[in-house]
Amino acid sequence: MKKIIWVLTFIFVAQASAMPIYGDDDRIPVADGPENLKPIFSAVAVQISKSFLNFNETLSAYTLNERLIGTLATTINGDDGPGKLCSDQRFGDYLNPGSCTGFFVGGDLLVTAGHCVKNASDCERALWIFDFKNKKDSNRGDPFILSKNVYSCKQIVETQVVTNYATKVKIDYAIIRLDRSVENRPAIKYRKDGELSCNDDLFVVGHPSGLPMIYAPNGHMGCSSQDQGV
């Protein structure tokens, strides 16, 4: 039986950057993901700039300011600037208003990458939104973002971004306090001891390059020769 390790990656790249995908690209929108992982998906949030959102008081919901938001194909950086994504690249026509991914770990606490929330200005400029995902056969994300799914950053509990080039160790995390407790969502269960081994199977879920929530089912722990003591 295949061993599945529930891992949520929280060091995500801002929407203007790109990272390579190795092997087959089997990412799918979470709407097409397995039912048994829905509780995990519900604990994932995306950071979106307040300037990209409009509040509709009548509907008690936010909508995306689409005239300020590009698609993945028009916002990603290539060697010579924006617009270098290949025309057949998957998710290229998806709106990508997000900048970072975070996950709910209990109470009013969210964990994300340190470079996403470095200071009070970063805390103030954006909102954190749960359940930001595409409906089936859509590339736009839900047009109405319910207020109950939207949180602001109230306080930075701790944030660190440290790179030690001598030891090749990089620390990049932040713990933030939201403006209220998160209700009706299970907190992520995270590892408190031990560590992953080379080639352990895992899956990843989040908002890569600011996209609506994406699920990658067939990942594995990669190791270099240095990791393995070769």
Side-chain angles (χ1 to χ4, degrees), residues 64 66 69-72 93-97 132 139-140 210-212:
L64 293 175
E66 293 199 14
I69 301 169
T71 62
L72 182 64
D93 61 343
Y94 279 39
L95 291 178
N96 63 328
F132 183 68
N139 63 355
R140 283 299 186 257
L211 292 167

Side-chain angles (χ1 to χ4, degrees), residues 58-204:
T58 302
L59 297 174
S60 190
Y62 291 82
T63 57
L64 293 175
N65 190 344
E66 293 199 14
R67 66 184 181 83
L68 297 180
I69 301 169
T71 62
L72 182 64
T74 59
T75 59
I76 206 77
N77 280 341
D79 294 337
D80 301 316
K84 302 299 291 186
L85 201 66
C86 295
S87 60
D88 61 348
Q89 176 63 50
R90 298 179 66 229
F91 309 115
D93 61 343
Y94 279 39
L95 291 178
N96 63 328
S99 50
C100 288
T101 300
F103 58 91
F104 168 54
V105 292
D108 57 1
L109 296 179
L110 194 80
V111 175
T112 185
H115 66 264
C116 297
V117 190
K118 300 185 294 295
N119 49 47
S121 177
D122 290 340
C123 182
E124 168 62 26
R125 70 175 178 80
L127 296 173
W128 290 91
I129 299 171
F130 290 95
D131 295 336
F132 183 68
K133 55 193 176 184
N134 286 353
K135 293 184 176 180
K136 286 183 179 292
D137 303 318
S138 169
N139 63 355
R140 283 299 186 257
D142 197 328
F144 297 106
I145 301 167
L146 299 179
S147 295
K148 68 178 183 179
N149 295 335
V150 180
Y151 295 76
S152 60
C153 173
K154 180 180 180 180
Q155 176 191 9
I156 299 174
V157 177
E158 185 174 351
T159 183
Q160 284 198 57
V161 182
V162 178
T163 301
N164 187 322
Y165 293 101
T167 62
K168 297 185 179 180
V169 170
K170 183 168 184 178
I171 300 172
D172 187 356
Y173 74 91
I175 304 169
I176 65 172
R177 192 176 306 281
L178 302 174
D179 63 306
R180 63 192 190 278
S181 294
V182 177
E183 298 180 352
N184 302 317
R185 294 179 187 277
I188 289 292
K189 296 180 180 179
Y190 53 92
R191 182 190 295 273
K192 296 183 179 180
D193 53 43
E195 59 185 33
L196 293 172
S197 300
C198 295
N199 297 315
D200 276 350
D201 294 322
L202 53 84
F203 68 82
V204 180

